[in-house]
Amino acid sequence: MTVNDDSFTNWKNREEIAESMIPLIGKLHRERDVTVLLHSRSLVNKSVVSILKTHRFARQIAGQELSVTETMPFLKALTALDLGPSQIDLGMLATRYQADERGLSIEEFTAEAVAGATGANKIDRREPRDVVLYGFGRIGRLVARLLIEKAGSGNGLRLRAIVVRGGGAQDIVKRASLLRRDSIHGQFQGTITVDEENSTIIANGNAVKVIYADDPSQVDYTEYGIRDAILIDNTGKWRDRAGLSEHLRPGIEKVVLTAPGKGDVPNIVHGVNHDTIKPDEQILSCASCTTNAIVPPLKAMDDEYGVLRGHVETVHSFTNDQNLLDNYHKAERRGRSAPLNMVITETGAASAVAKALPDLKAPISGSSIRVPVPDVSIAILNLQLARETTREEVHDYLRDVSLTSPLKRQIDFTTAPDAVSSDFIGSRHASIVDAGALKVDGDNAILYLWYDNEFGYSCQVVRVVQHVSGVEYPTYPATAV
């Protein structure tokens, strides 16, 4: 048999194993509210090839691919346990088992590693929590996709309604079409039908009411059977407490803003300060996409090296706020054609750092350039550190943070030497460290951080909503703090 034959046979064997993993992963998710991960990447509703590609990511740990032949025994062991709602990382299980020297069987090791989610220790499944989207633009539709995707078990978050201004004939059909197909993020994964008579979009069996209103005061959500809901404002029209409080109508308990909050509105970056949210807080912000991109790695660098000062330059994709062609705009430069120009503009991300990281005393400045790409941006974070270090040390540290730290859902890491912006469309992380571009000289470190300013940010929004809803289930094996 030739080398080519051996490689193909090996691939077919791994395909078969990955195929057999799918029903096990699906059953755990539907019946027990268990999300199976591989190094913080969900394997729920993934294809055979997607599962194999996700396993290949693990080559960043020890320079070699993690095979499904190694993780399948752990998945089988999980199905035999009395598991409660949780997230379980097969990659972490396999990695820790390889380092364990006690001679335990895979079944024994797995039972011990996830003991907090089994038997008398397991938490109860939460009742579904209603969610309303106010606005249905770029972020609103991506958040809708994520909420529908995560509704598989019937528990957790349940998208009940979207609120928009009336758009004329076939409004709901056109909005459903925009949810179904996206020029950047591709096709919706599932089926969408429209019930025009009842003003409802049905996506993967989820009935989502479309409510038409010009102002929050016009809606009583209890009329639609909505109770104690979390409303996600995607419009950015109201950004202070007084304005956002207008959403606290009958049926709405909390309001989450997908833009930087003003005044005393808490700006939350999941993974960094989400645990500071007070239980009785009704108004909060998820800050900006750029704030979410820079704050986690900034915290990681400050924790390890100390940060004395910093500057962030964001090279940001254009947005709907800009004009396609030169035309009037209230901002001086944003009126120039977005697809034809690089446009210098301001960013509030640097000043927002203080809200998310109040213990960071280092001054952080910032500026931004909009460029002619529709999605994925890069933040260049230039830091003066409190001690000297080396490129190799920072490289290994950030890689470990992305794989094993409490920030692993926020910070990703790529060693691809040919990586470009479009490679990160659909990334679920807040930012991705580009290892090849990293520069370190004594006490100066320059980090290049890619981020999908649409989808990655939407994932952060959903994580915050899960947290305040009480449906953010613990992850096993536990990550050392």
Side-chain angles (χ1 to χ4, degrees), residues 85-98:
S86 56
Q87 300 185 100
I88 300 179
D89 197 314
L90 292 182
M92 293 298 295
L93 280 173
T95 301
R96 292 191 183 181
Y97 181 70
Q98 291 170 2

Side-chain angles (χ1 to χ4, degrees), residues 241 248 253-255 266 276-284 468:
R241 185 172 295 275
L248 294 173
E253 183 181 6
K254 295 179 185 292
V255 178
T276 66
I277 302 173
K278 298 175 182 178
D280 61 349
E281 179 61 76
Q282 289 187 288
I283 307 289
L284 55 92
V468 298

Side-chain angles (χ1 to χ4, degrees), residues 367-379:
S367 52
S368 178
I369 302 173
R370 296 286 177 92
V371 294
V373 294
D375 187 31
V376 180
S377 305
I378 189 167

Side-chain angles (χ1 to χ4, degrees), residues 250-268:
I252 303 298
E253 183 181 6
K254 295 179 185 292
V255 178
V256 175
L257 171 66
T258 63
K262 294 182 177 180
D264 67 342
V265 174
N267 278 251
I268 303 301

Side-chain angles (χ1 to χ4, degrees), residues 177-248:
S177 180
L178 286 169
L179 178 62
R180 184 182 292 114
R181 303 179 185 88
D182 190 281
S183 299
I184 297 169
H185 301 283
Q187 297 276 346
F188 174 81
Q189 296 301 303
T191 63
I192 293 175
T193 56
V194 174
D195 182 349
E196 287 190 81
E197 183 178 348
N198 293 299
S199 190
T200 300
I201 295 173
I202 303 168
N204 289 358
N206 296 268
V208 183
K209 186 75 174 179
V210 178
I211 302 171
Y212 294 100
D214 295 322
D215 185 84
S217 64
Q218 297 178 356
V219 189
D220 180 343
Y221 294 93
T222 59
E223 293 180 357
Y224 304 96
I226 296 170
R227 300 284 188 278
D228 303 322
I230 295 179
L231 182 145
I232 304 174
D233 184 325
N234 308 288
T235 68
K237 182 177 180 180
W238 303 275
R239 293 173 57 185
D240 60 10
R241 185 172 295 275
L244 291 168
S245 294
E246 295 295 316
H247 288 302
L248 294 173

